Amino acid sequence: MDKILEAVVMSSYPNNVKQGLVRRVIEAAKQPMDSEQCWSMLELSTKLYLTGDTKYKREIGKEVLEVYGHYHPEEFEEFFNVRFLLSLLQEGYGPLGKRSHYVLDYIQLGLQFVLESPSANSIFSLLRIEVLRKVCERPSPKQCAKISKLLTQHPQCIPTGKHQVLFCQQLIRCIGQFQCVSEGEEDIMEFLEQVNKVSGLLQRIWRTQTSAILPSLKELFTIISSTEEQEVPSNALASVVQFVPLELMDGVIRNLTNDDSITDVQMMMAIGRMIDWVSWPLGKNIDKWIIALLKGLAAVKKFSILIEVTLSKIEKVFSKLLYPIVREGALSVLQYMLLSFQHSHEAFHLLLPHIPRLVATLKKEDSNSATSSLEQLAELIHCMFFRFSGFPDLYEPVLEAIKALPIPNEDRIKHLLGQNAWTSQKNELACFYPRLASKSETGKIGLINLGNTCYMNSIIQSLFMASDFRHSVLNLTEGNSQPLMTKLQWLFAFLEHSQRPAISPESFLSASWPPWFTPGAQQDCSEYLKYLLDRLHEEEKTGKRIYQKLKESSLMSQAVEHHYLNKTLIEKMFGGKMMTKIRCLKCLNVSSREEAFTDLSLAFPPPDRCVHGSTSVLPVEEIGPQFIEPPENPSQLTGSPWIQRKAPMAGDPAALPMPVETLGFQEPGEAANPLSGDAVGVGAAKDPLSAFGEQARAPKDSRSVPDLINYFLSPERLTAENKYHCEKCASLQDAEKVAELTEGPHYLILTLLRFSFDPQTLKRKKILDNVSIPVVLKLPILVAPEETEEVCRRGKDRAAPGSGFMSVMYDLCSVVVHSGISSESGHYYCYSRECTDTVPHGQPWDGAPKPASNKQLDFEIQWYLFNDTRVSFSSFESVSNVTSFFPKDTAYVLFYRQRPGRQSCLLHEALAEAGWLHGEPSLHKDLMEAISKDNILYLQEQEKEARNRAAYISALPKSPLWWRDFDRDKDDDSSSGGCSPAAGGGGSGSFHGLVF
């Protein structure tokens, strides 16, 4: 029958005729047959299957084999024996030079018919050895895929024990040499399928034998970290990493980055090749492993590796955004590489020429993937603009390309930069290696105490957190003639952009040091602040300024424009005006004098003095509209105190015409506040946040900041030895003196006069009274008739012409705390937050009430605690309760920021036009270069320190390193650990270039 079948197959008959004849032979084969005939048919069908020169012949051979395996099992088992299989695997089949490529397919076909036979175990044992030998010979991707298919279908043939670990390692070696020889799309898809079959086999083995994972990863890392001259490992290795359980990632990365047997060159080679894997189209979690390894290297301060790898690979990663199939992973890696590379603009600037073309391509693609990537890319670019300002010429084409895309807010930008910086990465070995300092998790930078200089550090941090002032200082142009302001600009720039956890203010201290201060001794921070502001003001005022003048609105009157242009920066930010009036009680003549101030020094009233003022505190948004409208009835505008009230009788407590208020709620039965007719609604006390207001309420016998301001503004009787010399009466007369605020500063600085001279001890003693601090303050400002008309004309208020007081809203932004009992000793620290405008950029101030949702609740705005080098998150609750918990820690200097609208509208509009209220200003190139150089120096310092203290490794728990255990005779070792992926060549352009 074998001769008939061979003659039919080799004949020249048409295939349909052959098929009919073959069918008859196959049907006859199902009948009982002697052993010799079966053997002859099995030999013929084996020959047809393995050496048939057409697919038709191989199909006939397969069909006959299946029939004999099914209907003649004993004969088939006798034929399909161990010796025959060994010959096939070791010597091949067919003429020399033309050995069959289908041996593995043939074995897989025949195995299904001998699974239950007595010889099955012998066959499995043979195959376990032979497949290991095969992979050690580095077969082609196609042959590797056939081995994987065989072992996946028959897992009994997978090597076991130590051989299984070796098999996994050798299989990874094979993958590392895979190359696709064709650029045709069909061939590439076939190649990808072959790689998936091989990596899928590894996944199957790892699932059942987890002890094989770590030795496999060791082999993978050995391949990708090799520095020998050889062919670049294939990107197909990326397919291996996707099957490593993510729960092993932390342990693998930690042990890998702290293994001192791995050289920097090896690590650089490995991470560089891993980054190339972003071009592998079928890998999952590849980006997670790459980013984890980059973070791990940052945690152990191996910055030189990170710098080199980032600069050499970032353009390649960026180019992969053109391909949707790998875009998501490439974008994740790009985001981390850029956001972490904060010491220099070099990496970002490498991408500038390529960004416009990529943006245009993604816009044309018009897919969900492209749209999402564009938005993320725009956010990333704005972070880089913020971090590396000062290159308008370079950034203009990029800005034009992304102008239609959303712009992230400043908080989002700072959050992204803060959490991704190399110096922000947590080092899990910190407990063993405490000198590896990291930047505060807040993203803020501390100031080094140079010897009792906490008074200066607290003031500098408070000024820095005054964002409008900071932006103005940073906007100073290069080469100005204000040496002290220039030093402050440099200090602010380093506080904003340095990678150090804390910086030294030594240069600024020497330049701003009051000559009467004693070196090394504690000083009064308020005294230092006044001296500093006065120096900065006088320096600019004397003609040494080059400060960029504000763009004034065309709607300004010439008088108002002249008024603002003639102000120095200190006057614009901190300057207010106050009118002092003295009235003779005999002739009722009034003399007045207006003077400027940069802070208000608030004395404590005598213990028996009762000063009106509410102490409950709640955010203005929870009470009423954002903008507090004055009464529509002109008569409700409070006028001069001497017109609206009677002269006080002797012994009567003086009454303030318009008390300072905090925004809050009244107790049931409490007297209505004189300003209850204002648009601030008291009925909002039912709001859930009122509970916090009660918590923040001061005790009945304590003072509040409004109490001290009311006392400061209350009329004073000049009698007895303090009589006033009246020019009209030409004699000393009893008189009454009153102070009125005529212009509210942009930033209101309040100093609580806690230190008084004690004549008995001849020392300054401290008043430790607790003073409750409102988060929102309403300050009465005397409005001149022409100012009222100007404001009304601009549509800012509905106030009627005529002189009267107006409430101006202030938000608390900084509190400097003194800890101690004397001004000559103790310690200063400060609480601060960044207050910003409630009106979104570009929206007109039309005077209409804005919904509370336009601004975060005051209690939700993040507070920070600055204590020299230490910076931490805090809260207003901590600010309010500090004296309750620590009686010697008392608020000393307060910074409030005026809300936009009313009197401040002109300044706010000018600032907004200058762009200072919306994002950090651009720094000049010399300053940016100095910061970049210092950041690189700091990274080098940290890296050198980490290397010099390699002994910290020995302090770790004595657990084995991630790949050491597998060398022992342990087949069931399941110690955790592992590494990350490897990489091959890469390219762009064609689909073939993308994958390989």
Side-chain angles (χ1 to χ4, degrees):
M1 189 175 293
D2 58 304
K3 300 297 182 182
I4 297 174
L5 178 61
E6 186 174 13
V8 170
V9 171
M10 299 300 177
S11 71
S12 59
Y13 295 129
N15 282 347
N16 58 338
V17 175
K18 289 182 183 181
Q19 189 64 36
L21 296 173
V22 169
R23 182 59 50 197
R24 291 182 185 181
V25 173
I26 289 176
E27 288 299 323
K30 295 179 182 180
Q31 304 303 318
M33 193 177 297
D34 60 57
S35 178
E36 185 179 351
Q37 184 63 50
C38 284
W39 195 276
S40 299
M41 287 297 291
L42 286 170
E43 283 184 335
L44 176 60
S45 58
T46 298
K47 179 182 177 182
L48 290 172
Y49 186 88
L50 291 174
T51 62
D53 55 359
T54 64
K55 186 177 179 181
Y56 175 70
K57 292 178 182 178
R58 292 195 298 273
E59 286 294 332
I60 291 175
K62 178 183 177 183
E63 197 169 353
V64 173
L65 281 170
E66 288 175 339
V67 168
Y68 278 83
H70 185 73
Y71 290 97
H72 305 280
E74 293 180 4
E75 288 79 3
F76 188 90
E77 181 184 347
E78 184 182 355
F79 178 81
F80 199 78
N81 58 66
V82 172
R83 182 176 296 179
F84 174 58
L85 294 181
L86 181 61
S87 173
L88 284 176
L89 291 166
Q90 292 189 355
E91 300 174 12
Y93 189 94
L96 204 61
K98 293 185 178 181
R99 298 297 192 189
S100 173
H101 300 296
Y102 301 102
V103 170
L104 291 171
D105 306 85
Y106 176 82
I107 292 174
Q108 182 179 341
L109 175 64
L111 273 178
Q112 60 184 309
F113 302 110
V114 298
L115 294 176
E116 304 298 329
S117 69
S119 62
N121 288 333
S122 299
I123 293 175
F124 295 154
S125 297
L126 170 69
L127 289 175
R128 281 195 285 268
I129 296 172
E130 285 301 307
V131 293
L132 177 57
R133 183 184 62 80
K134 279 283 186 184
V135 297
C136 288
E137 293 175 353
R138 306 289 180 263
S140 66
K142 188 172 185 178
Q143 290 300 309
C144 264
K146 289 183 177 182
I147 293 173
S148 301
K149 184 179 179 182
L150 170 65
L151 299 184
T152 301
Q153 189 168 341
H154 301 288
Q156 307 95 319
C157 303
I158 296 175
T160 57
K162 287 194 299 182
H163 287 165
Q164 185 178 86
V165 171
L166 184 59
F167 176 77
C168 291
Q169 291 177 318
Q170 294 302 317
L171 202 57
I172 290 172
R173 285 273 174 189
C174 289
I175 297 175
Q177 295 187 2
F178 283 178
Q179 298 296 335
C180 185
V181 295
S182 172
E183 294 191 11
E185 187 170 335
E186 288 185 7
D187 293 329
I188 291 175
M189 297 306 296
E190 182 183 2
F191 174 76
L192 294 175
E193 187 178 350
Q194 292 164 357
V195 173
N196 273 353
K197 285 180 180 178
V198 179
S199 58
L201 174 63
L202 283 171
Q203 180 190 25
R204 182 186 182 95
I205 296 174
W206 290 348
R207 279 179 178 173
T208 57
Q209 197 68 32
T210 56
S211 62
I213 298 178
L214 301 184
S216 300
L217 293 179
K218 181 249 181 177
E219 194 68 23
L220 175 63
F221 186 79
T222 302
I223 295 169
I224 64 175
S225 62
S226 175
T227 57
E228 298 175 4
E229 289 293 332
Q230 59 182 16
E231 191 174 351
V232 177
S234 170
N235 278 357
L237 285 169
S239 64
V240 175
V241 180
Q242 64 181 322
F243 297 124
V244 179
L246 290 179
E247 55 266 25
L248 294 180
M249 180 183 289
D250 288 343
V252 168
I253 298 299
R254 181 175 61 252
N255 288 309
L256 182 64
T257 54
N258 288 283
D259 187 344
D260 54 359
S261 68
I262 301 173
T263 67
D264 284 358
V265 176
Q266 289 175 320
M267 183 63 76
M268 193 180 304
M269 190 68 71
I271 186 62
R273 287 169 172 168
M274 283 179 63
I275 290 173
D276 286 339
W277 291 352
V278 297
S279 64
W280 185 254
L282 301 177
K284 297 178 181 177
N285 300 324
I286 303 300
D287 56 322
K288 293 183 176 65
W289 281 95
I290 295 172
I291 293 170
L293 184 53
L294 291 172
K295 287 183 175 181
L297 291 171
V300 294
K301 317 297 181 187
K302 294 188 177 179
F303 302 123
S304 59
I305 297 176
L306 292 168
I307 292 171
E308 180 68 26
V309 166
T310 301
L311 294 179
S312 63
K313 295 294 182 181
I314 195 165
E315 288 179 278
K316 187 171 186 178
V317 173
F318 183 82
S319 70
K320 302 309 172 188
L321 299 182
L322 290 168
Y323 306 101
I325 195 169
V326 297
R327 182 176 293 152
E328 183 179 355
L331 185 56
S332 296
V333 175
L334 178 72
Q335 284 174 323
Y336 179 74
M337 291 176 81
L338 273 182
L339 290 172
S340 62
F341 201 92
Q342 294 187 28
H343 65 282
S344 167
H345 54 72
E346 193 173 356
F348 176 51
H349 284 193
L350 286 175
L351 303 181
L352 293 179
H354 312 300
I355 292 175
R357 183 174 68 88
L358 175 69
V359 171
T361 302
L362 292 179
K363 286 180 178 178
K364 287 180 182 177
E365 185 181 312
D366 193 25
S367 65
N368 291 336
S369 168
T371 301
S372 173
S373 298
L374 274 174
E375 292 178 356
Q376 293 179 67
L377 184 63
E379 181 178 71
L380 186 58
I381 292 169
H382 281 291
C383 287
M384 294 298 99
F385 285 167
F386 179 91
R387 181 65 187 84
F388 304 115
S389 55
F391 302 92
D393 295 343
L394 288 176
Y395 293 166
E396 187 177 348
V398 177
L399 197 57
E400 178 66 22
I402 65 170
K403 64 181 180 181
L405 297 170
I407 301 175
N409 60 43
E410 191 171 320
D411 288 341
R412 169 68 176 166
I413 290 174
K414 289 182 176 179
H415 171 73
L416 289 173
L417 291 172
Q419 73 177 8
N420 287 290
W422 287 338
T423 49
S424 298
Q425 299 308 319
K426 292 283 184 281
N427 181 12
E428 297 188 14
L429 302 169
C431 54
F432 303 111
Y433 194 14
R435 294 188 64 190
L436 288 180
S438 293
K439 197 172 178 181
S440 166
E441 60 182 353
T442 64
K444 305 295 182 184
I445 297 173
L447 289 169
I448 296 172
N449 193 317
L450 302 173
N452 281 329
T453 57
C454 54
Y455 66 90
M456 178 190 72
N457 290 349
S458 298
I459 292 301
I460 294 300
Q461 294 285 20
S462 297
L463 292 174
F464 177 79
M465 293 296 283
S467 54
D468 299 336
F469 178 64
R470 178 179 76 244
H471 291 177
S472 299
V473 172
L474 292 176
N475 254 303
L476 280 173
T477 53
E478 191 176 1
N480 66 77
S481 54
Q482 301 178 72
L484 184 58
M485 186 68 85
T486 300
K487 287 185 179 294
L488 183 62
Q489 181 191 41
W490 278 63
L491 183 57
F492 278 4
F494 272 81
L495 283 174
E496 185 72 52
H497 297 294
S498 178
Q499 292 298 295
R500 296 179 183 270
I503 60 175
S504 171
E506 184 176 3
S507 175
F508 186 77
L509 174 65
S510 61
S512 62
W513 182 278
W516 60 90
F517 275 17
T518 305
Q522 184 62 278
Q523 306 293 341
D524 187 331
C525 76
S526 173
E527 187 178 0
Y528 174 77
L529 174 61
K530 290 175 182 174
Y531 175 79
L532 174 62
L533 296 182
D534 186 59
R535 277 275 310 275
L536 294 171
H537 167 69
E538 291 298 326
E539 188 178 79
E540 182 177 353
K541 188 178 177 182
T542 54
K544 297 180 181 179
R545 65 171 174 174
I546 55 141
Y547 172 72
Q548 178 91 22
K549 291 184 177 181
L550 296 175
K551 273 189 172 184
E552 300 300 329
S553 169
S554 59
L555 296 175
M556 281 189 182
S557 65
Q558 288 187 351
V560 174
E561 183 176 357
H562 180 75
H563 174 69
Y564 278 102
L565 283 175
N566 282 330
K567 284 190 172 186
T568 65
L569 176 60
I570 299 303
E571 287 177 310
K572 291 169 186 173
M573 292 294 164
F574 304 103
K577 291 186 178 178
M578 177 169 47
M579 181 77 73
T580 302
K581 298 179 181 179
I582 302 178
R583 184 180 66 162
C584 175
L585 295 181
K586 181 178 180 182
C587 67
L588 301 182
N589 182 56
V590 177
S591 65
S592 61
R593 183 181 77 255
E594 189 175 54
E595 53 189 349
F597 68 88
T598 53
D599 80 313
L600 296 180
S601 299
L602 305 180
F604 284 71
D608 58 344
R609 177 71 180 267
C610 177
V611 181
H612 173 80
S614 168
T615 58
S616 57
V617 180
L618 268 185
V620 64
E621 290 83 2
E622 292 302 308
I623 303 172
Q626 258 180 287
F627 294 94
I628 311 303
E629 299 297 330
E632 294 190 19
N633 187 350
S635 66
Q636 291 179 0
L637 272 175
T638 310
S640 167
W642 296 311
I643 297 174
Q644 302 241 340
R645 65 175 174 84
K646 298 179 181 178
M649 300 296 291
D652 288 348
L656 186 70
M658 185 175 185
V660 178
E661 287 188 284
T662 59
L663 297 181
F665 308 118
Q666 297 177 356
E667 298 282 5
E670 186 180 353
N673 190 292
L675 288 184
S676 59
D678 201 295
V680 177
V682 180
K686 297 177 182 178
D687 191 277
L689 279 176
S690 61
F692 192 90
E694 294 299 326
Q695 185 180 352
R697 196 185 302 277
K700 295 293 184 183
D701 57 348
S702 71
R703 300 293 187 182
S704 69
V705 170
D707 290 341
L708 303 188
I709 299 178
N710 287 334
Y711 179 60
F712 176 83
L713 297 177
S714 61
E716 176 188 358
R717 276 289 180 91
L718 305 177
T719 59
E721 295 180 355
N722 291 327
K723 283 189 176 182
Y724 166 68
H725 184 273
C726 178
E727 293 183 358
K728 189 173 182 180
C729 299
S731 60
L732 294 174
Q733 299 292 337
D734 289 345
E736 189 176 59
K737 182 172 76 172
V738 67
E740 296 172 341
L741 301 177
T742 57
E743 184 179 317
H746 185 64
Y747 283 100
L748 173 67
I749 302 176
L750 303 176
T751 302
L752 312 187
L753 297 180
R754 290 188 173 276
F755 303 109
S756 59
F757 184 76
D758 188 343
Q760 294 180 350
T761 62
L762 300 180
K763 291 184 178 180
R764 295 174 74 194
K765 66 178 183 179
K766 181 178 178 181
I767 302 171
L768 295 174
D769 293 4
N770 190 9
V771 177
S772 64
I773 304 170
V775 70
V776 180
L777 189 69
K778 291 171 67 176
L779 201 65
I781 303 295
L782 183 64
V783 182
E786 61 271 17
E787 287 188 55
T788 307
E789 291 173 6
E790 175 70 19
V791 168
C792 292
R793 182 177 66 82
R794 293 172 60 84
K796 299 296 180 292
D797 292 288
R798 293 193 298 270
S803 178
F805 286 94
M806 184 179 295
S807 289
V808 176
M809 309 290 291
Y810 280 89
D811 293 300
L812 180 68
C813 53
S814 287
V815 178
V816 178
V817 175
H818 177 263
S819 176
I821 57 173
S822 167
S823 63
E824 288 81 22
S825 62
H827 179 63
Y828 288 98
Y829 57 91
C830 75
Y831 293 92
S832 289
R833 64 171 181 168
E834 291 203 49
C835 293
T836 54
D837 287 343
T838 61
V839 178
H841 183 46
Q843 290 189 8
W845 286 327
D846 55 6
K850 304 292 188 300
S853 60
N854 282 352
K855 178 185 177 184
Q856 282 182 300
L857 294 176
D858 285 302
F859 289 113
E860 293 178 353
I861 298 176
Q862 183 62 60
W863 283 87
Y864 302 93
L865 173 59
F866 295 89
N867 192 343
D868 289 335
T869 57
R870 184 175 180 272
V871 187
S872 56
F873 290 113
S874 190
S875 64
F876 180 69
E877 186 176 5
S878 177
V879 178
S880 303
N881 296 332
V882 63
T883 306
S884 303
F885 293 117
F886 307 99
K888 294 180 183 178
D889 291 24
T890 55
Y892 184 38
V893 179
L894 313 178
F895 286 73
Y896 281 88
R897 180 183 185 272
Q898 186 179 150
R899 289 193 179 179
R902 291 201 163 87
Q903 190 187 36
S904 68
C905 62
L906 301 176
L907 177 58
H908 276 276
E909 286 183 357
L911 289 171
E913 284 185 19
W916 301 344
L917 299 181
H918 307 280
E920 294 297 324
S922 297
L923 304 180
H924 57 77
K925 290 184 179 179
D926 285 352
L927 183 49
M928 284 300 299
E929 218 169 281
I931 294 170
S932 294
K933 286 180 179 178
D934 184 70
N935 284 339
I936 293 173
L937 177 63
Y938 171 66
L939 297 180
Q940 291 171 345
E941 291 170 359
Q942 289 287 287
E943 184 168 11
K944 183 178 179 181
E945 188 172 344
R947 295 180 189 283
N948 291 341
R949 292 176 59 92
Y952 78 102
I953 292 291
S954 62
L956 293 173
K958 301 300 181 182
S959 59
L961 283 179
W962 59 293
W963 59 50
R964 303 284 167 82
D965 263 5
F966 101 96
D967 292 325
R968 305 181 196 168
D969 292 329
K970 277 188 176 182
D971 295 339
D972 57 345
D973 177 29
S974 58
S975 59
S976 63
C979 149
S980 9
S988 58
S990 67
F991 184 59
H992 180 269
L994 163 67
V995 183
F996 314 106

